[in-house]
Amino acid sequence: MRKLMGLLGVAVLSFGTAVSADSTPGDTMVTLGENLTPAQKEKVLEEMNVPADVQTITVSNAEEHKYLGEYIPKAQIGTKAISSSKITTTESGSGLNVETQNISWVSKEMYTNALSTASVKDADIFITAPFEVSGTAALTGIIKAYETTTGEKIPEEQKQVANEEMVTTAKLGEDIGQEDATQLIERIKEEVAAQNPQSLQEIKVIVNNISNELNITLTDAQTDQLAGLFNKMKDLNINWDQVNTQIDKAKEQWDSFKNSEEGQGFLQSIIDFLQSIVDSIAGLFK
């Protein structure tokens, strides 16, 4: 059930422990917010279900501002690094599996999309915090942990674009809903990979076509913002086939879970819980 519900998270970094670049499936790295109290740190590690000697990276608030300062207000980033995450490498071709808890703004699908843009692949990612946070800071820590565990260096420009994508999708989700915002980004990625646009105008045409296809109404400002984001992406050395493969694998994992006995039981428990609330309210009027 823990894997099912997921957890929330963050972080950035200030290397605490060196890790071998020769990553093998099952290798685990944890990022811990620099400002966690000893009790909070203990709680987070317990939720992650990791051994006491697990490899860790400490994440600072300064690095959170480094990667997010251009996209969201400083007040939203805050002054303390609290969120934490666990990343476990998996078999090649397995895709990304992201779980969150105590995340109020960024969905696990948004993380999956942004991480795939940053070239993070084949990993189980578990994100958590001792209390509810927006979740914007998690991406940087996960990318840093992935680099440390695998030895793969991700260009700074790609990290910045991944963070911008996450924030852009989350903001768009406030207006059109998280599910529609996530689906819109995924479909634009598919078309960018298929069409290989060479200009901002060509990208804008793709954005308009996909939004119309999905019956999503965008303002001119939102269209321009999305076109600008994907224009930055086209100038980076992004493996679009790999990006879309990671997203497709994540969808397959969710579909498989939903159809499993465990998944059906979990969904039924949600339905039963909601029904109990309805019954309780109805009882007040009897």
Side-chain angles (χ1 to χ4, degrees), residues 146-160:
Y146 180 81
E147 286 184 310
T148 307
T149 304
T150 64
E152 297 179 19
K153 181 62 178 175
I154 298 171
E156 286 297 307
E157 296 85 355
Q158 205 160 338
K159 295 176 189 175
Q160 286 286 354

Side-chain angles (χ1 to χ4, degrees), residues 100-122:
T100 64
Q101 175 176 298
N102 283 341
I103 293 283
S104 61
W105 201 47
V106 183
S107 71
K108 63 180 183 181
E109 291 82 9
M110 293 177 189
Y111 283 125
T112 300
N113 278 338
L115 286 166
S116 66
T117 296
S119 295
V120 174
K121 61 182 183 297
D122 303 326

Side-chain angles (χ1 to χ4, degrees), residues 20 28 38 66 86-87 96 107 115 122 125 139-140 151 156 162-164 177 180 229 233-234 262:
S20 169
T28 295
K66 174 183 176 181
K86 179 179 76 170
I87 179 169
L96 291 171
S107 71
L115 286 166
D122 303 326
I125 296 167
L139 189 67
T140 301
E156 286 297 307
N163 276 280
E164 183 178 354
D180 282 347
L229 172 63
M233 290 186 188
K234 80 173 178 57
E262 180 184 14

Side-chain angles (χ1 to χ4, degrees), residues 11-286:
V12 194
L13 97 155
S14 140
F15 283 100
T17 309
V19 181
S20 169
D22 299 323
S23 174
T24 58
D27 285 350
T28 295
M29 167 72 70
V30 166
T31 67
L32 295 172
E34 185 177 55
N35 301 110
L36 288 171
T37 67
Q40 289 171 338
K41 178 179 177 181
E42 183 179 353
K43 177 183 178 182
V44 163
L45 291 173
E46 182 179 349
E47 288 176 337
M48 290 180 178
N49 192 28
V50 293
D53 61 348
V54 67
Q55 302 282 359
T56 63
I57 285 176
T58 300
V59 177
S60 71
N61 182 249
E63 289 200 77
E64 296 176 355
H65 283 270
K66 174 183 176 181
Y67 286 100
L68 294 166
E70 291 186 33
Y71 316 119
I72 56 178
K74 291 183 178 180
Q76 187 171 346
I77 302 172
T79 59
K80 293 183 178 181
I82 297 295
S83 312
S84 305
S85 61
K86 179 179 76 170
I87 179 169
T88 303
T89 55
T90 55
E91 296 287 347
S92 177
S94 60
L96 291 171
N97 177 38
V98 180
E99 300 178 6
T100 64
Q101 175 176 298
N102 283 341
I103 293 283
S104 61
W105 201 47
V106 183
S107 71
K108 63 180 183 181
E109 291 82 9
M110 293 177 189
Y111 283 125
T112 300
N113 278 338
L115 286 166
S116 66
T117 296
S119 295
V120 174
K121 61 182 183 297
D122 303 326
D124 288 338
I125 296 167
F126 189 55
I127 312 167
T128 190
F131 47 82
E132 189 174 277
V133 297
S134 68
T136 52
L139 189 67
T140 301
I142 295 168
I143 292 173
K144 294 297 186 180
Y146 180 81
E147 286 184 310
T148 307
T149 304
T150 64
E152 297 179 19
K153 181 62 178 175
I154 298 171
E156 286 297 307
E157 296 85 355
Q158 205 160 338
K159 295 176 189 175
Q160 286 286 354
V161 167
N163 276 280
E164 183 178 354
E165 176 189 339
M166 176 188 65
V167 173
T168 299
T169 312
K171 287 181 177 178
L172 190 59
E174 292 181 336
D175 296 326
I176 66 174
Q178 286 190 343
E179 186 175 347
D180 282 347
T182 302
Q183 187 179 14
L184 178 63
I185 295 295
E186 290 173 353
R187 284 289 293 116
I188 294 173
K189 283 185 176 181
E190 290 173 359
E191 287 305 309
V192 168
Q195 298 185 30
N196 190 28
Q198 297 302 305
S199 69
L200 179 63
Q201 186 57 41
E202 289 177 353
I203 295 174
K204 188 174 293 188
V205 170
I206 291 176
V207 172
N208 283 324
N209 288 342
I210 297 302
S211 60
N212 289 334
E213 171 193 311
L214 299 175
N215 293 318
I216 293 173
T217 301
L218 298 176
T219 65
D220 290 342
Q222 289 169 335
T223 299
D224 290 342
Q225 185 177 30
L226 288 172
L229 172 63
F230 279 90
N231 192 49
K232 291 180 183 179
M233 290 186 188
K234 80 173 178 57
D235 294 330
L236 301 177
N237 186 27
I238 294 177
N239 184 333
W240 288 106
D241 288 338
Q242 176 182 296
V243 167
N244 289 319
T245 295
Q246 294 299 305
I247 294 172
D248 289 342
K249 288 289 184 181
K251 290 179 182 176
E252 289 174 9
Q253 290 178 3
W254 173 241
D255 288 340
S256 176
F257 167 73
K258 285 193 298 183
N259 294 325
S260 68
E261 183 177 344
E262 180 184 14
Q264 291 295 318
F266 174 65
L267 293 174
Q268 186 60 50
S269 68
I270 294 177
I271 293 172
D272 292 343
F273 174 70
L274 294 175
Q275 185 61 55
S276 68
I277 294 176
V278 173
D279 292 343
S280 296
I281 295 174
L284 296 175
F285 296 93
K286 292 183 178 179

